[in-house]
Amino acid sequence: MSKNIGTKDRLIRLILGIFSLISAYVVQEKILMIVLAAFGLFCIFQATFSWCAWYALLGKNTCPIQK
């Protein structure tokens, strides 16, 4: 698992993940809560480990160190 996400992408994913987790906490519908929580945790995972499965499948790399 080599890094394939740059700093700007990581920051966007972290903010999106935090926003999704907060939204999951606030929303009343159970299914939407689970979807938002899962999406938020996935975004935070990507931001933490600098790795995106979609980028790996597409061969995309925005990490300046790994280019």
Side-chain angles (χ1 to χ4, degrees):
M1 237 173 49
S2 62
K3 294 182 179 184
N4 62 1
I5 299 177
T7 305
K8 188 179 1 175
D9 289 340
R10 288 178 67 198
L11 184 60
I12 291 170
R13 291 164 197 254
L14 181 63
I15 291 169
L16 188 61
I18 291 170
F19 179 74
S20 295
L21 287 177
I22 291 170
S23 297
Y25 182 74
V26 172
V27 73
Q28 297 295 320
E29 188 178 338
K30 287 286 187 185
I31 294 173
L32 185 58
M33 181 188 307
I34 292 169
V35 170
L36 284 170
F39 180 73
L41 290 173
F42 185 68
C43 286
I44 291 174
F45 168 82
Q46 290 179 346
T48 302
F49 292 103
S50 299
W51 184 77
C52 175
W54 296 110
Y55 278 13
L57 288 173
L58 296 173
K60 187 173 180 180
N61 187 351
T62 59
C63 183
I65 297 172
Q66 298 293 329
K67 284 190 175 180

